[in-house]
Amino acid sequence: MTMLKEGRPTAPEPVKEAHMAPATATGNRALMLEEALIFEIGSVDTTGVDFPDAPKVESRLGGLARTDAIGLPGLSEQETVRHYTRLSRQNYAIDLGLFPLGSCTMKHNPRLNEKVARMPGFADIHPLQPQSTVQGALGVINELAFWLIDLTGMHGVAMTPKAGAHGELCGLLCIRAALEARGDARQVVLVPESAHGTNPATAAFCGYQVENIPATPEGRVDLAALEARLGPDVAAVMITNPNTCGLFERDMKKIADAVHAAGAFVYCDGANFNAIVGRVRPGDLGVDAMHINLHKTFSTPHGGGGPGSGPVVLSEALSPFGPLPYTARMADGTIHLIEEENVGEEMPQSFGRMSAFHGQMGMFTRALTYILSHGADGLRQVAEDAVLNANYVLRSLEDVLDAPFGASGPCMHEALFSDKGLAEGFTTLDIAKGLIDEGFHPMTMYFPLVVHGAMLVEPTETESKAALDQFILALRSLAERARAGDEALKGAPYHAPRRRLDETLAARKPVLTWSEPELAQAAE
Ligand SMILES: *Cc1c(COP(=O)(O)O)cnc(C)c1O
């Protein structure tokens, strides 16, 4: 096969499998079209637009004007539109089908949210506008803050963090400021084995030493091991609840009491709040700080790196240290943004800022729309249906896939399976690739690390029973093939635009620039 210098085949890969139809001349498969790079469609010597000749003016660049070609591809409007439309058709999206990624809460984004976020009064304003002209937008932030405090039973909320991980950073900075205020230089943050990678990363980023707490065989934090490790050097414990094994940490109250008795703080990773919203208030469990991923629980769109929003709810002990700015309703009913210059006596201990302005306005508008359109009863039903759907997946597949914690009772928002029982040589990756052929985005794989070959499925509450049944049918068939040792599965995906890629190479040595297409010859 001939390869471009970029390592991409010059021609579509022929389908060699006997049961497949022969390759087409174009590489197109029915309505799924092959697509070249934009540089290969257009040419750097052509242009898609007709500009009048520029009038001769004297250069003011002092001899620094570019003399060589800029090297951008020239395409007509139609070629450009087709290029991006074809590429977009090779993408999978929540608007196409179920997105079973565990720990991601990929749910339907109601169009009402989008409509409200696009209203000119929200979409066309600027963070530096006089506050008197954006009272409605500040009101949205203030009201959303009220809802988040109410839903979590906490004391305060920092609205400015822009993602879950950013919220973790905000929470740990509050904890550090509170410890420093009492002259306490604790160095250690405890994190359970099953934690999301952002937890230890955040603690390390804040300069803390990270230590693991083991899990019990039932997949929960080992309370005895945690208590044994607590001491005067421990600043905080970071616990995810429900945890990344899809289980509720039943000992949360006991954990919080022990942590507080040892003079430390409880950070709760609230990324999985969707499973308990309206049912459990983290404030009642003794949590000191918890981020909420608006882009998960409150349905603002996510994936592909953003945008996100990660407000952090804070206990009474931590609220005075939260970041600026924040909104406050004045006696005359107007809403003010409290900044460094007008903070007054209220929050002299704030650790500073998390972002230049007020946070992710578009996400706030969407989240508040979602909350108000669901109402209190609707939000509670979100949690109930999310848990019901996950348990339906878990119980429908546990005869063909090993469910390591299936015996410890119902799961919460996600169903966790392992690769135990697959035929020799078959892996979680084979099942994930098989799912692509079946028309589904793969589930989260190899996370959490406490389970061998983990497959983590979070269907969310927005999937219908019919959609879940389709997914279960696909996953069941793949599990049966992997158990029976069906060699063909190792070649999946067969029907996707690309087959199995060298994902490690792609991640470690991404080719991000285009260069002139000299063909590097690589033997077939
Ligand atoms: C998604 C997630 C995070 C990180 O949130 P981002 O918004 O992606 O930064 C942290 N912890 C858990 C458990 C998560 O699922």
Side-chain angles (χ1 to χ4, degrees), residues 103 163-165 168 196 198-199 240 244 269 271-272 291 293 295-296:
S103 209
E168 291 172 30
H196 195 268
T198 50
N199 292 192
T240 309
T244 47
D269 181 328
N272 299 330
H291 73 263
N293 303 57
H295 48 290
K296 293 179 181 170

Side-chain angles (χ1 to χ4, degrees), residues 87-131:
L87 286 184
S88 75
R89 284 164 37 121
Q90 298 186 356
N91 249 340
Y92 193 81
I94 192 72
D95 288 346
L96 286 172
L98 187 148
F99 225 112
L101 279 179
S103 209
C104 287
T105 318
M106 304 295 286
K107 59 165 88 175
H108 171 64
N109 307 128
R111 293 306 181 265
L112 180 64
N113 299 358
E114 298 303 314
K115 187 171 179 182
V116 174
R118 282 167 175 71
M119 287 177 170
F122 295 128
D124 297 344
I125 53 178
H126 192 279
L128 292 178
Q129 237 170 285
Q131 290 181 30

